Amino acid sequence: FLGSFMIRLIALIAKWRREHRALVPPPPPRPRPTYSIFVALYREAAVVPQLIDTLNRIEWPATRLDIKLICEADDQETLDALALTRLGRQYEIVEVPAGRPRTKPKALTYALGAARGEYLVIYDAEDRIDPMQLEEAWRTFEAGPPDVACLQAPLVVTNVRESWLSALFALEYAGLFRVLLPRLAAARLPIPLGGTSNHFRTRVLQQVGGWDPYNVTEDADLGLRLYRLGYRCGTLTRPTYEEAPVEWSDWLGQRTRWFKGWLQTWLVLMRHPSRLVSEMGLWPSLVFQVLIGGLILSSLAHPLIIVYLGLITWSLFFQSAFMVGPLEFTLFVIDIVNIFGSYAVFIALGRGGMTESEQVAVGRHWMMTPVYWLLLSVAAWRAVGELRHNPFFWNKTAHRPVQPLTGTEAG
């Protein structure tokens, strides 16, 4: 808890000290290269029209786009929806043969060998993309060092007002993608990538073997694997807009999958701890332990610490349930700082990454943070059980078409 708290506190302080907006490099003195866009679709017929409209709005020459819509061969509903849609010559429908594991990374890796672009970006079916995002990524790649193999665009939640759950989700995303990850990238530390809007140097992505087909949080695995192999990740400012889950069942399924994938990632990297330290370096490997291992352990332990705090509080102020000695009292104080300090930095980090209109949209829903964290613990414990009994099952999040972005959201 304390390690996670300190990393986020340092990122927040850095944000307060550096409020200037990152400058986009000037265009390179060469023509725009071919850019591959990969979108994995599974049971996404409802959002196909929105997806194609979004992709058609991207500011990049159509003749230099290689858009691959990657579908399961037996997902007839989605394939029929694409067949009824007018697609330009830059589009190609890739049908992935049926087989296990049936996961997004398996589908992406299947199509990777056919990528024609010098650069490659991953999007989800429901994403609404800033039209200038590819332009910014290209300029940043060209102006940056060659060891920067990936750039992560920020993910911005647009349905903040829909429920307290979506408001807390938006707060979490704002802190992660607009404060914490840029700070980790600036310090050249490991980055657990988001599941969408990752821009890659295609050659490097192919050299490292693409995505792990069996890891259900393939983005985190790939970001850390790139770091082990000597590559670094950066961040962008042009966002990708998406909606947060509103229903408890959708949110729980998604979070269970994420925790399960983080557990898979941690277990794989910890097969040989000494090798991990030698490849990453001591400080980056400690940051990895806090970002991935610490997140998992703190989520699992959160209810236990709440119970412990309750017992000590009862002993101190009411009746002595058990003897409170110096050690117990010291642990009590540390736990108080960890729990309430972590709540506070979570809220401050999220609000620090938000615009004023987003902060207004969140309103007082930030007060539900303790409940939100307890729900995270439910998802973490569920992931432990699922990892044992159904490790490669992909909890599919249902998506729906959304209204066009308003001026407030676009800002």
Side-chain angles (χ1 to χ4, degrees):
F1 261 100
L2 188 61
S4 179
F5 168 74
M6 290 304 299
I7 285 180
R8 284 160 175 77
L9 181 62
I10 292 169
L12 183 61
I13 293 171
K15 167 73 175 177
W16 286 337
R17 288 181 175 178
R18 302 179 183 180
E19 285 293 341
H20 63 275
R21 187 180 177 88
L23 297 176
V24 178
R30 73 180 183 100
R32 288 172 177 80
T34 300
Y35 217 116
S36 291
I37 298 177
F38 277 21
V39 186
L41 300 97
Y42 182 56
R43 301 203 304 255
E44 299 286 10
V47 298
V48 163
Q50 173 186 290
L51 170 65
I52 302 305
D53 180 65
T54 297
L55 296 175
N56 287 339
R57 292 174 183 268
I58 292 176
E59 293 289 335
W60 196 264
T63 57
R64 296 187 179 273
L65 282 176
D66 167 38
I67 303 177
K68 291 186 171 17
L69 306 176
I70 308 166
C71 306
E72 297 291 332
D74 57 0
D75 183 10
Q76 199 58 49
E77 186 180 2
T78 303
L79 291 171
D80 289 344
L82 289 172
L84 295 173
T85 305
R86 186 174 180 178
L87 301 176
R89 297 182 64 181
Q90 68 270 34
Y91 288 88
E92 178 185 0
I93 298 173
V94 178
E95 297 187 25
V96 182
R100 296 194 179 278
R102 182 168 292 220
T103 61
K104 173 184 172 183
K106 179 259 187 102
L108 294 173
T109 300
Y110 177 81
L112 181 57
R116 296 188 291 105
E118 183 177 339
Y119 299 109
L120 184 152
V121 61
I122 305 302
Y123 291 124
D124 284 340
E126 77 278 13
D127 288 346
R128 288 157 292 156
I129 306 145
D130 186 298
M132 295 298 293
Q133 192 181 109
L134 265 62
E135 179 76 20
E136 182 188 3
W138 172 55
R139 294 187 186 189
T140 304
F141 271 129
E142 294 287 324
D147 67 342
V148 174
C150 177
L151 297 171
Q152 171 71 64
L155 307 183
V156 177
V157 172
T158 58
N159 61 331
V160 181
R161 298 179 185 272
E162 199 161 352
S163 72
W164 72 268
L165 202 58
S166 64
L168 268 293
F169 196 103
L171 196 69
E172 183 180 12
Y173 260 34
L176 175 64
F177 288 102
R178 290 184 262 177
V179 183
L180 181 59
L181 293 191
R183 180 56 195 161
L184 291 172
R188 293 176 65 81
L189 289 171
I191 291 182
L193 298 172
T196 177
S197 306
N198 317 135
H199 297 252
F200 299 97
R201 298 183 191 270
T202 306
R203 176 186 54 82
V204 173
L205 184 59
Q206 291 171 337
Q207 285 178 350
V208 303
W211 299 266
D212 179 356
Y214 290 92
N215 192 306
V216 295
T217 313
E218 77 291 342
D219 41 343
D221 166 79
L222 181 56
L224 295 166
R225 183 151 37 94
L226 284 168
Y227 196 94
R228 291 184 72 176
L229 295 171
Y231 296 103
R232 300 295 176 261
C233 297
T235 56
L236 301 171
T237 60
R238 295 279 183 171
T240 294
Y241 300 98
E242 60 180 33
E243 287 198 340
V246 177
E247 299 296 330
W248 153 250
S249 57
D250 291 337
W251 182 92
L252 180 62
Q254 185 185 69
R255 283 310 169 105
T256 299
R257 172 166 58 83
W258 291 0
F259 272 113
K260 185 168 65 173
W262 291 331
L263 273 166
Q264 289 174 319
T265 300
W266 188 85
L267 289 168
V268 167
L269 267 67
M270 288 300 292
R271 282 173 175 163
H272 305 286
S274 60
R275 179 180 171 187
L276 177 69
V277 173
S278 67
E279 291 177 346
M280 275 192 171
L282 179 59
W283 174 239
S285 62
L286 289 174
V287 170
F288 153 73
Q289 294 293 348
V290 171
L291 288 176
I292 303 297
L295 173 66
I296 297 166
L297 289 174
S298 62
S299 297
L300 293 172
H302 192 205
L304 305 178
I305 294 178
I306 294 293
V307 171
Y308 176 77
L309 289 177
L311 288 173
I312 295 291
T313 301
W314 177 264
S315 299
L316 287 173
F317 298 104
F318 297 98
Q319 202 116 26
S320 182
F322 53 87
M323 184 62 66
V324 179
L327 175 61
E328 289 81 4
F329 185 77
T330 301
L331 292 174
F332 171 73
V333 172
I334 292 173
D335 286 342
I336 286 286
V337 172
N338 280 342
I339 291 289
F340 294 101
S342 294
Y343 289 161
V345 80
F346 171 85
I347 296 165
L349 205 66
R351 290 178 62 85
M354 285 182 159
T355 63
E356 186 175 344
S357 62
E358 288 175 303
Q359 293 177 12
V360 171
V362 170
R364 296 185 178 180
H365 287 312
W366 58 266
M367 298 174 68
M368 296 292 289
T369 296
V371 177
Y372 190 74
W373 279 37
L374 286 172
L375 295 182
L376 287 173
S377 185
V378 172
W381 280 104
R382 191 165 177 254
V384 171
E386 203 171 274
L387 183 65
R388 173 67 180 85
H389 299 291
N390 202 1
F392 311 124
F393 170 67
W394 186 277
N395 280 291
K396 176 76 174 69
T397 305
H399 300 129
R400 61 183 182 179
V402 295
Q403 297 298 317
L405 292 173
T406 66
T408 300
E409 291 168 339

